[in-house]
Amino acid sequence: MSENNPTRLLIARKVPAVVASRAEAEFHAFVTESDMDSWSVVDFCKKHDVPAVLIGKKSGLQAEHIAALPSTVKIIANASAGFDHLDVAAAHARGIVVTNAPDALTECTADFSMLLVLAACRRASEYERIMRKGWGKSFGMTEMLGTRVNSKTLGVVGFGRIGRAVAKRAQAFGMHVIYTDIGRAAPSLENGATFYASLDDMLPHAQVLTLHVPAGSVPLMTKNEFERLPAGAVFINAARGGLVDEDALYEALTSGRLFGAGLDVYWNEPHIDKRFAELDNVFLSPHMASATIETRDQMGLTALDNVAAVLDGRPALNQV
Protein backbone atom coordinates (compact mmCIF):
# COMPACT_ATOMS: atom_id res chain seq x y z
CA MET A 1 0.00 0.00 0.00
CA SER A 2 1.41 3.34 -1.07
CA GLU A 3 0.28 6.71 -2.39
CA ASN A 4 1.54 5.81 -5.86
CA ASN A 5 -0.21 2.45 -5.85
CA PRO A 6 -3.25 2.80 -3.63
CA THR A 7 -5.09 -0.30 -2.52
CA ARG A 8 -8.21 -0.77 -4.65
CA LEU A 9 -9.42 -4.03 -3.11
CA LEU A 10 -9.64 -5.58 0.32
CA ILE A 11 -9.78 -9.37 0.32
CA ALA A 12 -11.21 -10.10 3.75
CA ARG A 13 -11.11 -13.88 3.54
CA LYS A 14 -8.30 -16.32 2.86
CA VAL A 15 -8.23 -17.15 -0.86
CA PRO A 16 -6.23 -19.53 -3.09
CA ALA A 17 -2.75 -18.40 -4.14
CA VAL A 18 -3.71 -17.83 -7.78
CA VAL A 19 -6.49 -15.47 -6.68
CA ALA A 20 -4.24 -13.59 -4.24
CA SER A 21 -1.52 -13.18 -6.88
CA ARG A 22 -3.89 -11.72 -9.45
CA ALA A 23 -5.53 -9.45 -6.86
CA GLU A 24 -2.20 -8.05 -5.73
CA ALA A 25 -0.97 -7.47 -9.29
CA GLU A 26 -4.19 -6.02 -10.69
CA PHE A 27 -5.68 -4.14 -7.74
CA HIS A 28 -2.75 -3.70 -5.31
CA ALA A 29 -5.03 -5.65 -3.02
CA PHE A 30 -4.58 -6.20 0.66
CA VAL A 31 -5.04 -9.94 1.11
CA THR A 32 -5.72 -11.13 4.64
CA GLU A 33 -3.87 -14.13 6.03
CA SER A 34 -6.93 -15.21 8.02
CA ASP A 35 -10.62 -14.37 7.70
CA MET A 36 -11.45 -10.90 9.01
CA ASP A 37 -14.55 -10.12 11.00
CA SER A 38 -17.17 -7.61 9.87
CA TRP A 39 -16.06 -4.59 11.90
CA SER A 40 -12.44 -5.14 10.90
CA VAL A 41 -13.59 -4.85 7.29
CA VAL A 42 -15.36 -1.58 8.05
CA ASP A 43 -12.32 -0.18 9.88
CA PHE A 44 -9.98 -1.10 7.01
CA CYS A 45 -12.24 0.50 4.43
CA LYS A 46 -12.42 3.71 6.45
CA LYS A 47 -8.65 3.86 6.89
CA HIS A 48 -7.69 3.09 3.29
CA ASP A 49 -10.68 4.31 1.23
CA VAL A 50 -10.81 1.12 -0.83
CA PRO A 51 -13.47 0.98 -3.58
CA ALA A 52 -13.91 -2.82 -3.51
CA VAL A 53 -14.25 -5.54 -0.90
CA LEU A 54 -14.30 -9.32 -1.27
CA ILE A 55 -15.95 -10.89 1.77
CA GLY A 56 -16.75 -14.29 3.21
CA LYS A 57 -19.10 -15.66 5.82
CA LYS A 58 -17.08 -14.46 8.81
CA SER A 59 -16.70 -11.01 7.26
CA GLY A 60 -20.36 -10.82 6.27
CA LEU A 61 -21.81 -7.32 6.24
CA GLN A 62 -25.21 -6.62 7.71
CA ALA A 63 -27.11 -3.32 7.70
CA GLU A 64 -25.15 -1.76 10.57
CA HIS A 65 -21.82 -2.59 8.95
CA ILE A 66 -22.89 -1.31 5.54
CA ALA A 67 -24.15 1.93 7.07
CA ALA A 68 -20.68 2.47 8.54
CA LEU A 69 -18.78 1.91 5.28
CA PRO A 70 -17.19 4.96 3.63
CA SER A 71 -18.68 6.31 0.42
CA THR A 72 -15.63 5.09 -1.50
CA VAL A 73 -16.91 1.48 -1.50
CA LYS A 74 -18.47 0.70 -4.88
CA ILE A 75 -18.69 -3.09 -4.85
CA ILE A 76 -18.97 -5.94 -2.35
CA ALA A 77 -17.97 -9.14 -4.11
CA ASN A 78 -18.73 -12.69 -3.00
CA ALA A 79 -16.69 -15.65 -4.15
CA SER A 80 -19.64 -17.95 -3.50
CA ALA A 81 -23.06 -18.46 -5.03
CA GLY A 82 -24.81 -17.74 -1.73
CA PHE A 83 -24.96 -14.27 -0.21
CA ASP A 84 -27.01 -14.81 2.94
CA HIS A 85 -24.14 -13.34 4.97
CA LEU A 86 -24.83 -9.94 3.41
CA ASP A 87 -27.72 -7.46 3.61
CA VAL A 88 -28.16 -6.92 -0.11
CA ALA A 89 -30.97 -4.39 0.26
CA ALA A 90 -28.86 -2.24 2.58
CA ALA A 91 -25.99 -2.32 0.10
CA HIS A 92 -28.25 -1.37 -2.79
CA ALA A 93 -29.72 1.48 -0.76
CA ARG A 94 -26.20 2.94 -0.55
CA GLY A 95 -25.56 2.41 -4.24
CA ILE A 96 -23.11 -0.43 -3.66
CA VAL A 97 -23.03 -3.20 -6.25
CA VAL A 98 -23.23 -6.74 -4.86
CA THR A 99 -21.96 -9.71 -6.88
CA ASN A 100 -21.65 -13.46 -6.47
CA ALA A 101 -20.20 -16.40 -8.40
CA PRO A 102 -23.21 -18.52 -9.37
CA ASP A 103 -21.64 -20.57 -12.16
CA ALA A 104 -18.34 -21.40 -10.49
CA LEU A 105 -19.79 -23.93 -8.04
CA THR A 106 -22.34 -25.67 -10.23
CA GLU A 107 -20.49 -28.71 -11.49
CA CYS A 108 -18.63 -29.57 -8.29
CA THR A 109 -21.71 -29.10 -6.13
CA ALA A 110 -23.67 -31.36 -8.47
CA ASP A 111 -20.89 -33.96 -8.35
CA PHE A 112 -20.89 -33.82 -4.57
CA SER A 113 -24.68 -34.08 -4.38
CA MET A 114 -24.47 -37.32 -6.35
CA LEU A 115 -21.73 -38.50 -4.00
CA LEU A 116 -24.17 -37.93 -1.13
CA VAL A 117 -26.91 -39.81 -2.97
CA LEU A 118 -24.67 -42.80 -3.64
CA ALA A 119 -23.11 -42.78 -0.18
CA ALA A 120 -26.47 -42.62 1.61
CA CYS A 121 -28.09 -45.27 -0.56
CA ARG A 122 -25.14 -47.66 -0.45
CA ARG A 123 -24.26 -47.22 3.26
CA ALA A 124 -20.80 -45.88 2.45
CA SER A 125 -20.01 -44.51 5.90
CA GLU A 126 -20.85 -47.86 7.52
CA TYR A 127 -18.74 -49.84 5.08
CA GLU A 128 -15.81 -47.48 5.51
CA ARG A 129 -15.93 -47.74 9.29
CA ILE A 130 -16.04 -51.54 9.07
CA MET A 131 -12.87 -51.52 6.97
CA ARG A 132 -11.04 -49.08 9.25
CA LYS A 133 -11.77 -51.40 12.17
CA GLY A 134 -10.12 -54.27 10.30
CA TRP A 135 -13.19 -56.00 8.76
CA GLY A 136 -12.61 -59.61 9.89
CA LYS A 137 -16.13 -60.93 9.26
CA SER A 138 -17.71 -61.90 5.95
CA PHE A 139 -21.27 -60.72 5.38
CA GLY A 140 -24.07 -62.94 4.20
CA MET A 141 -26.61 -62.41 1.47
CA THR A 142 -29.07 -60.61 3.74
CA GLU A 143 -26.64 -58.48 5.75
CA MET A 144 -25.62 -54.81 5.43
CA LEU A 145 -27.76 -54.20 2.36
CA GLY A 146 -28.07 -50.79 0.81
CA THR A 147 -30.70 -49.63 -1.65
CA ARG A 148 -29.90 -49.22 -5.31
CA VAL A 149 -29.89 -45.87 -7.06
CA ASN A 150 -30.74 -47.09 -10.55
CA SER A 151 -34.50 -46.92 -11.27
CA LYS A 152 -35.22 -44.74 -8.24
CA THR A 153 -37.15 -41.48 -8.59
CA LEU A 154 -35.14 -38.42 -7.61
CA GLY A 155 -37.06 -35.38 -6.44
CA VAL A 156 -35.19 -32.12 -6.98
CA VAL A 157 -36.28 -29.09 -4.97
CA GLY A 158 -35.06 -26.08 -6.93
CA PHE A 159 -34.36 -26.54 -10.64
CA GLY A 160 -31.74 -23.85 -11.13
CA ARG A 161 -28.19 -24.38 -12.34
CA ILE A 162 -27.22 -26.88 -9.64
CA GLY A 163 -30.58 -28.66 -9.56
CA ARG A 164 -30.46 -29.24 -13.31
CA ALA A 165 -26.84 -30.41 -13.16
CA VAL A 166 -27.77 -32.94 -10.46
CA ALA A 167 -30.72 -34.11 -12.54
CA LYS A 168 -28.44 -34.71 -15.52
CA ARG A 169 -26.09 -36.82 -13.44
CA ALA A 170 -28.94 -38.74 -11.85
CA GLN A 171 -30.38 -39.59 -15.26
CA ALA A 172 -27.00 -41.03 -16.22
CA PHE A 173 -27.43 -43.41 -13.27
CA GLY A 174 -30.81 -44.48 -14.60
CA MET A 175 -32.85 -42.42 -12.15
CA HIS A 176 -36.20 -40.86 -13.00
CA VAL A 177 -36.22 -37.14 -12.22
CA ILE A 178 -39.06 -35.03 -10.90
CA TYR A 179 -38.74 -31.47 -9.67
CA THR A 180 -40.50 -28.54 -8.11
CA ASP A 181 -39.73 -24.83 -8.29
CA ILE A 182 -41.59 -21.51 -8.28
CA GLY A 183 -42.35 -22.11 -11.94
CA ARG A 184 -41.86 -24.71 -14.63
CA ALA A 185 -38.56 -24.68 -16.50
CA ALA A 186 -38.42 -24.33 -20.26
CA PRO A 187 -38.85 -27.72 -21.97
CA SER A 188 -35.32 -27.42 -23.34
CA LEU A 189 -34.00 -27.32 -19.76
CA GLU A 190 -36.18 -30.11 -18.36
CA ASN A 191 -34.45 -32.88 -20.30
CA GLY A 192 -37.32 -35.24 -19.57
CA ALA A 193 -37.81 -34.29 -15.91
CA THR A 194 -41.39 -34.03 -14.65
CA PHE A 195 -42.58 -30.80 -13.03
CA TYR A 196 -44.72 -30.63 -9.88
CA ALA A 197 -46.29 -27.29 -9.03
CA SER A 198 -45.86 -27.77 -5.28
CA LEU A 199 -43.48 -29.50 -2.90
CA ASP A 200 -46.36 -31.28 -1.15
CA ASP A 201 -47.53 -32.78 -4.45
CA MET A 202 -44.04 -33.98 -5.36
CA LEU A 203 -42.91 -35.46 -2.05
CA PRO A 204 -44.94 -38.72 -2.12
CA HIS A 205 -43.20 -39.63 -5.39
CA ALA A 206 -39.61 -38.80 -4.36
CA GLN A 207 -37.73 -41.93 -3.32
CA VAL A 208 -34.63 -39.76 -3.06
CA LEU A 209 -35.02 -36.05 -2.27
CA THR A 210 -32.33 -33.41 -2.82
CA LEU A 211 -32.50 -29.70 -1.96
CA HIS A 212 -31.07 -26.94 -4.15
CA VAL A 213 -32.73 -23.72 -2.99
CA PRO A 214 -31.66 -20.82 -0.74
CA ALA A 215 -32.61 -20.91 2.93
CA GLY A 216 -35.62 -18.89 4.01
CA SER A 217 -36.75 -17.56 7.34
CA VAL A 218 -38.35 -20.88 8.29
CA PRO A 219 -37.35 -24.49 7.50
CA LEU A 220 -38.64 -25.97 4.27
CA MET A 221 -38.45 -29.55 5.54
CA THR A 222 -40.43 -30.11 8.72
CA LYS A 223 -42.17 -33.12 10.25
CA ASN A 224 -45.03 -32.71 7.76
CA GLU A 225 -42.73 -32.81 4.73
CA PHE A 226 -40.73 -35.80 5.94
CA GLU A 227 -43.96 -37.71 6.60
CA ARG A 228 -45.11 -37.07 3.02
CA LEU A 229 -42.07 -38.85 1.61
CA PRO A 230 -42.50 -42.55 0.78
CA ALA A 231 -41.34 -44.96 3.46
CA GLY A 232 -37.65 -45.76 3.04
CA ALA A 233 -36.81 -42.55 1.18
CA VAL A 234 -33.34 -41.04 1.20
CA PHE A 235 -32.78 -37.36 2.02
CA ILE A 236 -29.92 -35.23 0.63
CA ASN A 237 -28.93 -31.70 1.56
CA ALA A 238 -25.95 -29.89 0.07
CA ALA A 239 -27.74 -26.52 -0.03
CA ARG A 240 -28.30 -24.82 3.34
CA GLY A 241 -28.75 -26.22 6.83
CA GLY A 242 -31.48 -23.70 7.58
CA LEU A 243 -33.77 -25.50 5.14
CA VAL A 244 -34.26 -28.37 7.59
CA ASP A 245 -35.91 -28.81 10.97
CA GLU A 246 -33.21 -31.06 12.39
CA ASP A 247 -35.43 -32.49 15.13
CA ALA A 248 -37.85 -33.64 12.44
CA LEU A 249 -34.99 -35.06 10.36
CA TYR A 250 -33.61 -36.95 13.36
CA GLU A 251 -37.05 -38.42 14.07
CA ALA A 252 -37.46 -39.47 10.45
CA LEU A 253 -34.05 -41.18 10.48
CA THR A 254 -34.57 -43.00 13.77
CA SER A 255 -38.18 -44.02 13.17
CA GLY A 256 -37.45 -45.76 9.88
CA ARG A 257 -39.37 -43.23 7.81
CA LEU A 258 -36.06 -42.50 6.03
CA PHE A 259 -33.65 -45.20 4.89
CA GLY A 260 -30.79 -42.74 5.24
CA ALA A 261 -29.47 -39.27 4.57
CA GLY A 262 -26.47 -37.56 3.04
CA LEU A 263 -25.73 -34.19 4.66
CA ASP A 264 -23.17 -31.52 3.84
CA VAL A 265 -24.85 -28.59 5.60
CA TYR A 266 -26.29 -28.06 9.07
CA TRP A 267 -28.41 -25.67 11.09
CA ASN A 268 -25.67 -24.46 13.44
CA GLU A 269 -22.50 -24.73 11.36
CA PRO A 270 -19.75 -25.46 12.11
CA HIS A 271 -21.26 -27.12 15.18
CA ILE A 272 -23.17 -30.24 14.20
CA ASP A 273 -26.02 -31.70 16.23
CA LYS A 274 -24.06 -34.63 17.68
CA ARG A 275 -27.06 -36.92 17.47
CA PHE A 276 -26.49 -37.26 13.73
CA ALA A 277 -22.90 -38.40 14.24
CA GLU A 278 -24.22 -41.32 16.28
CA LEU A 279 -26.50 -42.60 13.49
CA ASP A 280 -25.23 -45.32 11.18
CA ASN A 281 -27.64 -44.36 8.39
CA VAL A 282 -26.27 -40.85 7.84
CA PHE A 283 -23.33 -39.89 5.63
CA LEU A 284 -21.84 -36.63 6.92
CA SER A 285 -19.45 -34.10 5.40
CA PRO A 286 -18.38 -30.64 6.66
CA HIS A 287 -19.87 -28.28 4.02
CA MET A 288 -17.40 -29.25 1.32
CA ALA A 289 -19.49 -29.44 -1.87
CA SER A 290 -17.39 -26.82 -3.68
CA ALA A 291 -14.08 -27.94 -2.20
CA THR A 292 -11.95 -28.72 -5.23
CA ILE A 293 -8.84 -26.87 -6.32
CA GLU A 294 -10.39 -25.95 -9.65
CA THR A 295 -13.67 -24.68 -8.24
CA ARG A 296 -12.19 -22.62 -5.40
CA ASP A 297 -9.81 -20.97 -7.89
CA GLN A 298 -12.71 -20.23 -10.22
CA MET A 299 -14.84 -18.82 -7.40
CA GLY A 300 -12.15 -16.32 -6.44
CA LEU A 301 -11.29 -15.38 -10.02
CA THR A 302 -14.97 -14.81 -10.80
CA ALA A 303 -15.17 -12.40 -7.87
CA LEU A 304 -12.14 -10.56 -9.25
CA ASP A 305 -13.75 -10.40 -12.70
CA ASN A 306 -16.71 -8.66 -11.12
CA VAL A 307 -14.48 -6.23 -9.23
CA ALA A 308 -12.59 -5.40 -12.43
CA ALA A 309 -15.80 -4.71 -14.32
CA VAL A 310 -17.27 -2.38 -11.71
CA LEU A 311 -14.04 -0.45 -11.09
CA ASP A 312 -13.66 0.00 -14.86
CA GLY A 313 -17.17 1.46 -15.07
CA ARG A 314 -18.68 -1.60 -16.75
CA PRO A 315 -21.71 -3.60 -15.56
CA ALA A 316 -20.93 -6.40 -13.11
CA LEU A 317 -20.90 -9.87 -14.62
CA ASN A 318 -22.86 -11.46 -11.77
CA GLN A 319 -24.81 -8.70 -10.06
CA VAL A 320 -27.15 -9.78 -7.28
Side-chain angles (χ1 to χ4, degrees):
M1 291 179 283
S2 69
E3 292 184 4
N4 293 331
N5 293 308
T7 299
R8 303 178 70 211
L9 170 64
L10 165 63
I11 297 186
R13 68 180 304 180
K14 191 170 178 62
V15 294
V18 66
V19 179
S21 295
R22 177 185 163 190
E24 290 166 346
E26 189 172 339
F27 305 103
H28 307 291
F30 176 85
V31 182
T32 185
E33 291 296 321
S34 58
D35 289 6
M36 297 170 67
D37 63 38
S38 304
W39 287 114
S40 295
V41 171
V42 172
D43 291 343
F44 187 97
C45 291
K46 285 181 174 180
K47 183 176 181 180
H48 300 285
D49 290 334
V50 294
V53 183
L54 192 161
I55 65 170
K57 188 172 183 179
K58 186 176 179 180
S59 52
L61 300 174
Q62 299 306 317
E64 64 268 28
H65 309 118
I66 292 169
L69 289 172
S71 59
T72 52
V73 176
K74 294 180 171 60
I75 175 173
I76 301 172
N78 293 278
S80 58
F83 43 86
D84 47 357
H85 53 288
L86 173 67
D87 190 325
V88 177
H92 288 171
R94 291 208 56 192
I96 299 173
V97 175
V98 176
T99 65
N100 67 342
D103 295 317
L105 298 83
T106 298
E107 300 303 328
C108 275
T109 302
D111 286 348
F112 202 85
S113 297
M114 281 306 299
L115 181 154
L116 294 177
V117 170
L118 294 165
C121 287
R122 295 303 305 271
R123 301 174 70 160
S125 61
E126 293 177 84
Y127 296 167
E128 202 261 355
R129 286 196 297 271
I130 288 169
M131 296 307 296
R132 288 190 180 275
K133 290 178 180 178
W135 194 7
K137 172 187 178 298
S138 296
F139 293 105
M141 190 174 181
T142 61
E143 296 179 280
M144 295 297 296
L145 305 183
T147 183
R148 76 179 191 179
V149 170
N150 177 271
S151 80
K152 288 286 194 302
T153 296
L154 176 72
V156 180
V157 183
F159 210 61
R161 293 178 180 87
I162 296 173
R164 294 195 301 270
V166 172
K168 182 178 179 181
R169 286 157 172 75
Q171 288 166 330
F173 277 87
M175 301 186 80
H176 309 293
V177 176
I178 59 179
Y179 75 96
T180 188
D181 209 322
I182 55 175
R184 183 172 182 176
S188 60
L189 297 176
E190 286 186 321
N191 194 33
T194 301
F195 173 66
Y196 282 83
S198 75
L199 177 63
D200 277 355
D201 288 342
M202 187 188 77
L203 288 175
H205 307 282
Q207 294 169 298
V208 182
L209 184 74
T210 182
L211 307 184
H212 300 288
V213 292
S217 57
V218 296
L220 179 71
M221 295 298 298
T222 67
K223 180 179 176 66
N224 173 70
E225 284 72 33
F226 284 116
E227 288 181 346
R228 290 188 65 80
L229 287 167
V234 172
F235 176 70
I236 305 299
N237 189 10
R240 285 290 184 267
L243 291 166
V244 180
D245 178 335
E246 291 190 340
D247 288 333
L249 174 57
Y250 182 81
E251 181 183 345
L253 286 163
T254 54
S255 69
R257 163 59 60 179
L258 292 177
F259 176 83
L263 307 175
D264 187 46
V265 290
Y266 311 89
W267 185 269
N268 190 33
E269 296 181 13
H271 306 291
I272 185 176
D273 184 331
K274 294 181 179 179
R275 294 179 299 172
F276 292 111
E278 297 169 356
L279 298 180
D280 288 334
N281 60 339
V282 184
F283 183 89
L284 303 167
S285 58
H287 202 149
M288 302 299 282
S290 67
T292 64
I293 296 166
E294 298 86 351
T295 292
R296 293 292 170 84
D297 285 353
Q298 186 181 352
M299 289 165 63
L301 294 174
T302 297
L304 296 187
D305 290 341
N306 280 294
V307 169
V310 171
L311 296 191
D312 288 345
R314 295 179 281 114
L317 305 177
N318 307 107
Q319 185 163 346
V320 175

